[in-house]
Amino acid sequence: MVEMAKKHEEAKDKPQTARKELTIPKLRKFMQHVTSATQSALQYDPDIERSMQVVEALNRAASTYSQLLDQMDMAQQQKKITPLFRPLSPLGETAPTS
């Protein structure tokens, strides 16, 4: 108990560090680094099989961030209101039936 109290006091005394936040610009920059690394592997490694293994491994490892970036991009896009409405037909006319 005493040790836990000491650790809690030490944590309070330490200066607060900046809170990490994963933003769209940071994710884009990360994905640019992944792309750069994969291009470098393909460009500089004479063994194409080995470089393709590295490219696949990097893409697999970064896929979680890639999916997150796609989700964040989609969530940020403003939705249009027009799909909620249908066109008005002139009075007295009925819509053709098929």
Side-chain angles (χ1 to χ4, degrees), residues 7-23:
K7 286 182 183 179
H8 182 69
E9 285 300 315
E10 288 173 5
K12 282 199 321 190
D13 292 341
K14 288 183 182 178
Q16 293 289 332
T17 57
R19 185 171 173 250
K20 291 181 182 180
E21 186 177 357
L22 200 53
T23 62

Side-chain angles (χ1 to χ4, degrees), residues 60-95:
R60 245 189 337 271
S63 68
T64 301
Y65 286 128
S66 179
Q67 291 170 2
L68 179 60
L69 177 59
D70 290 343
Q71 290 171 356
M72 290 172 77
D73 273 338
M74 291 296 289
Q76 190 179 32
Q77 292 177 2
Q78 185 173 356
K79 307 290 188 255
K80 294 184 187 263
I81 194 169
T82 52
L84 300 175
F85 298 97
R86 58 189 149 119
L88 292 174
S89 60
L91 291 175
E93 291 184 19
T94 58

